[in-house]
Amino acid sequence: MNWIAVNSIYKFEMARFFRTITQSFVSPVLSTSLYFVVFGAAIGSRIQEVEGISYGAFIVPGLIMLSVITQSISNASFGIYFPKFIGTVFELLSAPINFIEIVLGYVGAAATKALFIGVIILMTAFFFVDITIAHPFWMVVFLVLTCISFSLFGFIIGIWAGNFEQLQLVPLLIITPLVFLGGSFYSISMLPPVWQVISHFNPVVYLISGFRWSFFGAADVPIVTSLLAIAGFTALCLAVIWWIFRTGWRIRQ
Amino acid sequence: MPDIVEINDLRKAYADGFEALKGVTLKIKQGEILALLGPNGAGKTTLISTVCGITTATGGTVKVGGHDTITDYRAARGMIGLVPQEINLEPFEKVISTVRFSRGLFGKPKDDAALEKILRQLSLWDKRDSQIRALSGGMKRRVLIAKALAHEPRVLFLDEPTAGVDVELRRDMWEIVAGLKADGVTIILTTHYIEEAEAIADRIGVIAHGELLLVEDKNKLMARMGKKQLQVHLTKPIDAVPASLVSDALTLSEDGSTLIYTYDTRAERTGITKLLSDVAAAGLVLTDLETSQSSLEEIFVDLLKEDAA
């Protein structure tokens, strides 16, 4: 393993993040605060408790997941797309590194950035609602796995994208609806039976459910199913990336 | 000198069937400067990209320092530095950061002293903390060279390094290349500028339509293919070449004041002695004699014409 190369890519990507530190941190904190004000205080005050949890606290795991998933995808996709766009990708292709090292560098940095933001949102949440974390270890496990798996997915999008419009297409048209309909702001059990069945085809449901379980000990789907879902998604993304580098699809002529 | 780059029957065909490389075989000696000349679309950049791993070959093998670029790619690529044709740099990065990144990518540990030496060589040290976007085009090209040299490669590919730069910077680049050669770096450069190849290369390769037409020592090539001309300046202009002197090799300048004799330097007899005695016998009086040799550009054009025929 060329660990120096992995570290170089990682540090280079993190430097990009810290160059725009205000935008990186203030934006998620502000948007999360707005969610708490609107859903937690304004609308939430008129909503009964959900599964014995105040609505303000109930939406915290969903809000964290919403930001973590979108940040993971956007950071990772931009991270690999930008070198393609400006042409510096030739350096990666001509360097003595393999695809595992490239992925570790880019996905590692994207996942770290998303993790930072997830932690920032959690800390912000403490200012607005009273929450306790029932299973802190599993909370960290779910958070880290989500950051990694969606950064892998973002990496694939970054390689696939041929322009900036395509870069935004999948997050905007697929991921955002899936996250919103994945139980970020409600419990699946609150839906009519037919929509409950349909929701189980949404992979994000398993992530949010598992993550919410780590906070409150209550979940829409069994915890093992959530873990298997996220592990399966990670494995699928890794397989696709392996295929991309093996064939050179959209990256090597 | 041993061969440091060995390219054997290298082929590249794209999905649409276009053959960019049609079985290129080339050996490059350690420490030499090889200039690859060819028109646009000849396959120069594809050849470099394939050797460096940016493009996947559809046939053939490449070895760098004895290491196969596919089966032993880490060792092979570690020896190569590449300066691309386009100025591909992250605009918001600082010079030192981007050069440091390049060194790290090649698995070399941080060595600020080595980077300082490279940046000073390229007159970039004072600009090390500048963002790339703040640099001039010439400085950006230097940054590309610094990045390619950051891991101390033994083989440097320069893909049209002086394209679009002014004459002064071009001369600077030539000095940089000469300095690298003095340090033992093998240099392969592609160029459109024949004078560039003529000025700095040890050997010339001519590529067209994905095929290597020739690779030869520059001086030998010029001696072998270069035609020489003898210009005989006359005291008084004449209307036509005298009948006793008429031959395919002799022409008269437009103003009638110079006889131009084209001869082959490789021939056993150049015919100069006979010409001069015939000129004297024809009653023509000379004021001066002058010789000139074909430039590499003329040789290059002739080669391409032959290939097209």
Side-chain angles (χ1 to χ4, degrees):
Chain A
M1 281 289 280
N2 186 346
W3 287 109
I4 295 175
V6 173
N7 187 41
S8 293
I9 297 171
Y10 182 85
K11 281 165 72 176
F12 197 76
E13 283 301 299
M14 290 309 290
R16 195 203 304 281
F17 179 67
F18 287 115
R19 267 204 304 271
T20 54
I21 192 77
T22 310
Q23 182 190 332
S24 302
F25 282 97
V26 172
S27 173
V29 169
L30 184 67
S31 58
T32 307
S33 301
L34 288 172
Y35 274 118
F36 280 122
V37 170
V38 174
F39 290 102
I43 298 173
S45 61
R46 294 167 185 253
I47 296 176
Q48 292 177 337
E49 288 185 341
V50 181
E51 294 171 359
I53 306 154
S54 74
Y55 186 68
F58 180 83
I59 63 170
V60 170
L63 275 179
I64 294 173
M65 276 289 162
L66 176 66
S67 289
V68 160
I69 288 173
T70 51
Q71 287 291 326
S72 297
I73 291 173
S74 68
N75 287 327
S77 59
F78 185 81
I80 190 65
Y81 176 74
F82 195 57
K84 275 176 55 188
F85 178 69
I86 61 171
T88 55
V89 73
F90 83 89
E91 264 197 296
L92 291 174
L93 301 176
S94 60
I97 50 177
N98 62 24
F99 91 93
I100 295 170
E101 290 150 0
I102 293 175
V103 170
L104 275 175
Y106 279 102
V107 170
T112 305
K113 295 173 200 175
L115 192 63
F116 271 159
I117 288 165
V119 171
I120 290 280
I121 293 172
L122 180 60
M123 289 165 68
T124 309
F126 283 121
F127 286 102
F128 290 91
V129 289
D130 186 21
I131 44 171
T132 52
I133 302 167
H135 308 285
F137 171 77
W138 288 108
M139 191 275 286
V140 173
V141 168
F142 270 106
L143 194 58
V144 170
L145 280 177
T146 304
C147 290
I148 292 171
S149 59
F150 279 87
S151 293
L152 287 168
F153 185 59
F155 189 82
I156 295 168
I157 293 171
I159 288 175
W160 164 78
N163 52 50
F164 277 100
E165 189 187 359
Q166 287 180 349
L167 200 65
Q168 298 296 327
L169 206 65
V170 175
L172 207 64
L173 296 184
I174 299 174
I175 300 301
T176 304
L178 284 181
V179 175
F180 271 89
L181 298 173
S184 296
F185 300 104
Y186 56 86
S187 167
I188 301 300
S189 61
M190 295 163 75
L191 296 172
V194 65
W195 282 104
Q196 285 189 37
V197 173
I198 292 170
S199 292
H200 281 86
F201 290 98
N202 179 355
V204 178
V205 165
Y206 299 90
L207 298 180
I208 294 177
S209 171
F211 196 50
R212 188 168 282 139
W213 168 85
S214 71
F215 275 77
F216 309 118
D220 289 320
V221 292
I223 187 69
V224 176
T225 311
S226 289
L227 281 170
L228 285 175
I230 195 166
F233 183 60
T234 306
L236 180 67
C237 290
L238 280 172
V240 172
I241 291 170
W242 171 81
W243 174 81
I244 286 171
F245 277 91
R246 185 180 161 82
T247 59
W249 182 74
R250 298 224 171 185
I251 196 163
R252 197 190 298 272
Q253 287 184 314
Chain B
M1 279 290 184
D3 295 324
I4 195 163
V5 179
E6 298 165 74
I7 301 169
N8 282 305
D9 195 28
L10 194 65
R11 293 173 185 278
K12 175 62 188 177
Y14 289 97
D16 61 3
F18 175 70
E19 276 187 284
L21 295 176
K22 299 170 183 171
V24 172
T25 296
L26 173 64
K27 289 185 173 159
I28 300 162
K29 292 180 179 63
Q30 191 177 321
E32 76 169 336
I33 300 177
L34 175 76
L36 277 175
L37 301 176
N40 284 332
K44 303 185 297 293
T45 301
T46 306
L47 179 62
I48 287 181
S49 300
T50 311
V51 172
C52 294
I54 297 165
T55 302
T56 310
T58 45
T61 59
V62 179
K63 284 184 180 176
V64 180
H67 305 286
D68 189 281
T69 54
I70 302 295
T71 57
D72 193 9
Y73 71 94
R74 283 192 196 267
R77 290 185 195 172
M79 296 180 74
I80 300 174
L82 169 64
V83 180
Q85 196 176 128
E86 305 291 333
I87 297 179
N88 301 322
L89 292 164
E90 290 223 12
F92 300 104
E93 278 302 321
K94 287 181 180 174
V95 171
I96 188 73
S97 310
T98 193
V99 176
R100 201 174 276 150
F101 172 69
S102 297
R103 183 177 173 84
L105 265 189
F106 280 75
K108 292 267 184 164
K110 193 177 171 186
D111 186 345
D112 284 342
L115 295 189
E116 182 179 342
K117 188 183 164 201
I118 292 166
L119 293 178
R120 283 193 188 281
Q121 264 181 344
L122 294 163
S123 307
L124 282 170
W125 181 244
D126 293 340
K127 301 279 184 186
R128 64 190 181 280
D129 290 321
S130 301
Q131 283 191 332
I132 304 287
R133 62 178 176 161
L135 302 181
S136 66
M139 280 293 174
K140 285 176 185 167
R141 282 213 178 267
R142 286 167 189 263
V143 174
L144 283 174
I145 296 176
K147 280 168 73 68
L149 294 175
H151 63 284
E152 299 152 86
R154 303 314 302 154
V155 180
L156 183 66
F157 286 92
L158 294 156
D159 196 0
E160 303 203 14
T162 57
V165 304
D166 60 36
V167 176
E168 191 183 353
L169 182 60
R170 192 176 302 164
R171 302 270 171 196
D172 285 352
M173 288 285 180
W174 293 357
E175 279 181 21
I176 290 165
V177 170
L180 291 170
K181 186 191 168 172
D183 289 342
V185 178
T186 305
I187 294 158
I188 298 98
L189 68 95
T190 69
T191 182
H192 277 302
Y193 302 110
I194 312 281
E195 60 160 336
E196 188 161 272
E198 202 168 340
I200 60 175
D202 297 313
R203 282 201 303 159
I204 307 285
V206 178
I207 190 168
H209 309 300
E211 290 175 287
L212 205 55
L213 302 182
L214 68 82
V215 183
E216 198 164 334
D217 177 271
K218 179 185 68 183
N219 295 327
K220 283 183 186 167
L221 176 68
M222 292 187 69
R224 185 168 68 82
M225 303 200 71
K227 288 171 184 167
K228 262 198 149 177
Q229 287 187 329
L230 173 70
Q231 293 175 25
V232 181
H233 298 285
L234 306 172
T235 50
K236 289 180 185 171
I238 54 176
D239 297 328
V241 176
S244 61
L245 297 177
V246 168
S247 93
D248 290 342
L250 195 68
T251 55
L252 187 64
S253 65
E254 276 186 22
D255 62 1
S257 66
T258 307
L259 287 167
I260 302 163
Y261 178 62
T262 304
Y263 61 98
D264 187 349
T265 52
R266 292 171 299 152
E268 199 172 310
R269 292 184 177 194
T270 58
I272 293 174
T273 311
K274 183 175 183 304
L275 172 75
L276 292 178
S277 66
D278 288 350
V279 166
L284 301 175
V285 183
L286 319 183
T287 58
D288 197 6
L289 288 173
E290 195 181 339
T291 61
S292 61
Q293 187 159 17
S294 311
S295 70
L296 200 49
E297 183 164 2
E298 288 162 329
I299 296 170
F300 176 56
V301 169
D302 287 347
L303 274 169
L304 292 181
K305 276 182 186 166
E306 280 175 27
D307 181 54

